[in-house]
Amino acid sequence: MSKYNFDEIVTRRHTGCVKWDEPRPLSIEGEDVIPLWVADMDFKAAPAIQEAVIKRAQHGVYGYTVVEDDYFDAVISWFKRRHQWDIHREEIIYTTGVVPAMSVAVKALTMPGEKVLILSPDYNCFFSSIRNNGCEVLESILSPVGNTFEVDWHDFEAKCADEKTTVFLLCNPHNPTGRVWTKEELARMNDICMKHHVKVVSDEIHCELVMPGHRFQPFAAVSEACRQNSVVLNSPSKSFNIAGLQAANIICSQPEWRHRLDRAVNINEVCDLNPFGPVALKAAYNDSEDWIDELNSYLWSNYQMVCDYAKEHLPQWKVSQLQGTYLLWIDITATGMTAQTYADHLLRDYHVWVNPGTMYGPQSGEGYIRLNIACPQSLLKEALERIKE
C-alpha cells in the first residue's frame, strides 16, 4: 500500500506558479489548459520537507543565512549512502541553483570565444548559459538506436579534438532523451576528453529520478581520473520538487578549479542561500528517501500508461525509452508536422501544453516533442484523451 498520495490533485493555478500561471504561447486563455511542459512536478513535497519549512517559517525572522555543517553532512551522507560516492567537505560550493552553477562553471573554466561541447538534443539552458558567457555551442548529435539514443563516438572525439573546445557540458541523466549514462559510457567520455585536454562539467540535477533496471552513476565516482577532470552540479530541487527554495551544489576536487569556481560564484552574485533552502535540503536528504523511491514507482507507472495508450490510440507517436527523468521524448515525424506546428496545434486546439523538440536543438530536436509526466495520473490521462482527439 502506498504511503504517499501522488494521485492528489493540488490546485496550483493562481499561486504565481510558472508551470500553470505563466502567460501561454499563442495567447491561449482559459482555465482548462493542461501544462505538461516545464520540468516541474505537480506533487506536494515530501512531508518531512513541508514540516521543516513550516517550522522555519514559524520563527518569523528571515534574514541572511549561514550554511552550517549539518548541510554539508547531509549532502555527503546522501551521496555516500545512495550512490557510493565519497565527497569531501572542502569539495562542496553551495549556490542558488544548477542553472546559475552551470553559468559559474562555464565562466570559471573557459575564456570567451572558446567552444563548449554538448550532446544534442540537450537542455535548453545549456545553449543560453554557454552563449551568455561568450562561448560557442558545439553540438555532437546523439544517434537514435531503436527507441533510445547513443553517443556518436567518432563525432564526439572529433568535436573534442577541435583546438577551441575546452569544456564538455554533460547532462547526466540526460534531458530530454531520458538516457541514464552507464559507467562504461561515462568513462569513455572522460578518456576522450582527457586525451584532448577537455574539462567535464556534469549537470546531475535529475540524478534521483531513475527508472527500474537502470542505475545513476555520478560522473566523479566513475574513477579517480573522472574525479580529477570534472565539476559536478547537483541539487535536490528537481527530484524533490523544491526548485523554488533555491539550493544547489557545485562539487569539485581540483583546488585550483575550485578557487576559480568560488570566484565566479561571487562575480555572478549567486553566493547566498535563503533561509528555507538549507532546511529543505536537509529534510530531503536525511528524512525523505522512501518518498523518492515511491515517487519513482509512480512515475514509472505513468510512463507505462503513456506507452500503452500511445500503442492503442496514438500510432503516430514513437515514445523513447525512459531510463531517467520524468520527461518523455516523443518522435512525432509520422504526423507530418514540424515540432513547433504540432506543439502549437495541441495548445491552440486541445489546450495541452508541451515543448517542441526544437527548443533542445534546432536540428536534433526537429520531429520531437517533450512531455512532462510528473503529475497525477488522472490529469495525464485527460491530456492523452485530448491528444487522441
Side-chain angles (χ1 to χ4, degrees), residues 242-303:
I242 52 174
L245 299 181
Q246 299 185 318
N249 296 294
I250 303 168
I251 300 171
C252 176
S253 66
Q254 286 271 20
E256 182 191 345
W257 296 5
R258 213 161 51 236
H259 175 76
R260 288 154 63 182
L261 290 161
D262 190 58
R263 180 72 184 131
V265 164
N266 284 274
I267 290 171
N268 285 8
E269 303 288 3
V270 287
C271 47
D272 294 317
L273 302 190
N274 70 68
F276 300 101
V279 297
L281 178 144
K282 289 182 284 187
Y285 286 162
N286 292 338
D287 302 306
S288 305
E289 192 160 2
D290 61 339
W291 185 90
I292 204 78
D293 291 336
E294 196 167 308
L295 168 71
N296 281 329
S297 295
Y298 192 87
L299 294 173
W300 179 246
S301 68
N302 275 6
Y303 167 66

Side-chain angles (χ1 to χ4, degrees), residues 4 6 41 43-54 239-242 280 283-285 287-292 295:
Y4 304 105
F6 294 104
M41 298 192 285
F43 309 126
K44 288 183 179 179
I49 297 173
Q50 295 181 53
E51 291 163 12
V53 170
I54 289 168
S239 304
F240 291 93
N241 207 30
I242 52 174
Y285 286 162
D287 302 306
S288 305
E289 192 160 2
D290 61 339
W291 185 90
I292 204 78
L295 168 71

Side-chain angles (χ1 to χ4, degrees), residues 15-88:
T15 63
C17 166
V18 167
K19 186 177 185 180
W20 287 82
D21 292 330
E22 183 160 298
R24 294 119 183 203
L26 310 177
S27 300
I28 299 297
E29 296 182 359
E31 295 284 298
D32 67 332
V33 171
I34 299 177
L36 304 178
W37 63 293
V38 67
D40 177 308
M41 298 192 285
D42 289 320
F43 309 126
K44 288 183 179 179
I49 297 173
Q50 295 181 53
E51 291 163 12
V53 170
I54 289 168
K55 182 178 178 181
R56 179 63 185 86
Q58 287 173 336
H59 181 262
V61 180
Y62 315 122
Y64 297 122
T65 300
V66 172
V67 176
E68 298 178 308
D69 287 343
D70 56 355
Y71 173 98
F72 300 98
D73 293 342
V75 174
I76 291 166
S77 174
W78 175 267
F79 284 99
K80 173 64 174 176
R81 185 173 75 250
R82 187 134 179 127
H83 302 297
Q84 295 74 57
W85 178 19
D86 290 304
I87 301 172
H88 303 137

Side-chain angles (χ1 to χ4, degrees), residues 55-178:
K55 182 178 178 181
R56 179 63 185 86
Q58 287 173 336
H59 181 262
V61 180
Y62 315 122
Y64 297 122
T65 300
V66 172
V67 176
E68 298 178 308
D69 287 343
D70 56 355
Y71 173 98
F72 300 98
D73 293 342
V75 174
I76 291 166
S77 174
W78 175 267
F79 284 99
K80 173 64 174 176
R81 185 173 75 250
R82 187 134 179 127
H83 302 297
Q84 295 74 57
W85 178 19
D86 290 304
I87 301 172
H88 303 137
R89 163 68 181 81
E90 67 274 11
E91 296 175 337
I92 304 171
I93 301 171
Y94 59 82
T95 186
T96 55
V98 164
V99 172
M102 190 188 312
S103 287
V104 160
V106 174
K107 183 186 291 290
L109 301 179
T110 67
M111 294 289 288
E114 293 180 341
K115 296 180 181 180
V116 176
L117 177 62
I118 66 171
L119 295 174
S120 185
D122 221 332
Y123 176 40
N124 51 298
C125 285
F126 278 26
F127 294 85
S128 55
S129 287
I130 293 165
R131 290 170 180 151
N132 287 346
N133 285 283
C135 291
E136 181 181 338
V137 177
L138 187 60
E139 298 175 69
S140 182
I141 295 177
L142 293 168
S143 301
V145 179
N147 67 341
T148 188
F149 291 81
E150 294 183 1
V151 177
D152 179 338
W153 295 106
H154 177 77
D155 182 70
F156 181 79
E157 177 147 20
K159 299 286 171 62
C160 282
D162 185 322
E163 63 179 12
K164 290 183 71 178
T165 303
T166 54
V167 165
F168 166 44
L169 184 52
L170 169 67
C171 198
N172 174 39
H174 190 260
N175 169 17
T177 68

